[in-house]
Amino acid sequence: MNFINILNHILRPLEWVVAQLLTLFHHALVTFGMTAGPSPAWGIAIMCLVLVIRICLLPLFLSQMRAMQRIQVLQPQIQRIQHKYAARKDPRSKEAMQREIMALQQRYNANPLGSCLPSLIQAPILCSLFYTLQSLPAIADGNAEPLGGIDHTMAGDIESSSIFGVRIATRSARLPRRSHASSSAWPWR
């Protein structure tokens, strides 16, 4: 099993959850009096979904920013250590320099990977949101299987909807057409 297949297996359930949440937000807006079918409710539902996802990911984002700040604060001290060992090219000196830098980072609880890890967690969620929205035209055209609560009719409603006079999806703004032999929104599946 290659990396792409593994990634597909990981993201497909997330895409399903995103689709379910999108339909849930739409149903809530319709319950509160907005029009069902092609209506601004779909645009507002998408905005609510994005807002909720960003709020849920906010702790990860803040953790990433704090980790980056800790590393930035240590940069002058790291540069001093690197300057101290700049003239020495032997393996022992390089190892000593790395040990000093690691000790400094441990002392101040600054992990260089601390700013990368939150991004790695956020990426699949944001990709799932993108690919769910990207799969709507294929679902509406009947070229892909329904996803979560979004069936052929709902996908068509989302595509036909507009908010503030602007259509949510236009044929000209789509990515190039591709074969939808698989029920996936991924271009390489």
Side-chain angles (χ1 to χ4, degrees), residues 1-186:
M1 188 175 247
N2 66 20
F3 176 73
I4 299 300
N5 287 337
I6 292 170
L7 195 60
N8 292 341
H9 288 295
I10 292 170
L11 288 184
R12 193 64 179 172
L14 289 173
E15 291 173 25
W16 186 88
V17 169
V18 167
Q20 287 292 98
L21 288 172
L22 182 60
T23 57
L24 177 73
F25 283 123
H26 180 259
H27 288 308
L29 291 168
V30 169
T31 301
F32 287 118
M34 294 197 80
T35 310
S39 69
W42 282 112
I44 295 170
I46 291 169
M47 286 186 253
C48 290
L49 178 62
V50 170
L51 185 65
V52 165
I53 288 173
R54 292 307 299 168
I55 289 171
C56 290
L57 293 176
L58 188 63
L60 290 172
F61 176 73
L62 293 175
S63 167
Q64 180 181 10
M65 291 297 111
R66 282 190 293 269
M68 284 175 43
Q69 285 176 339
R70 275 186 241 134
I71 291 294
Q72 286 176 348
V73 166
L74 293 179
Q75 272 308 338
Q77 293 174 358
I78 290 173
Q79 287 174 349
R80 273 188 239 120
I81 294 170
Q82 289 171 339
H83 182 68
K84 177 175 142 183
Y85 289 97
R88 302 178 197 164
K89 302 294 182 194
D90 61 295
R92 281 189 188 174
S93 297
K94 287 184 179 184
E95 189 178 318
M97 179 182 74
Q98 289 299 324
R99 276 196 306 267
E100 278 189 50
I101 291 173
M102 286 175 57
L104 179 69
Q105 290 170 343
Q106 286 176 346
R107 192 172 339 137
Y108 290 98
N109 196 24
N111 183 356
L113 295 178
S115 61
C116 297
L117 190 59
S119 294
L120 292 175
I121 295 170
Q122 293 176 55
I125 297 167
L126 296 174
C127 284
S128 296
L129 173 62
F130 172 77
Y131 287 118
T132 299
L133 296 175
Q134 184 192 20
S135 68
L136 292 174
I139 295 170
D141 293 343
N143 295 328
E145 294 177 17
L147 180 62
I150 300 175
D151 60 7
H152 170 73
T153 308
M154 273 191 192
D157 287 349
I158 296 169
E159 278 207 305
S160 303
S161 297
S162 64
I163 186 165
F164 307 121
V166 178
R167 288 197 52 190
I168 292 174
T170 60
R171 298 269 173 189
S172 61
R174 284 189 192 167
L175 294 175
R177 300 297 289 173
R178 62 182 186 274
S179 169
H180 292 284
S182 85
S183 62
S184 162
W186 288 79

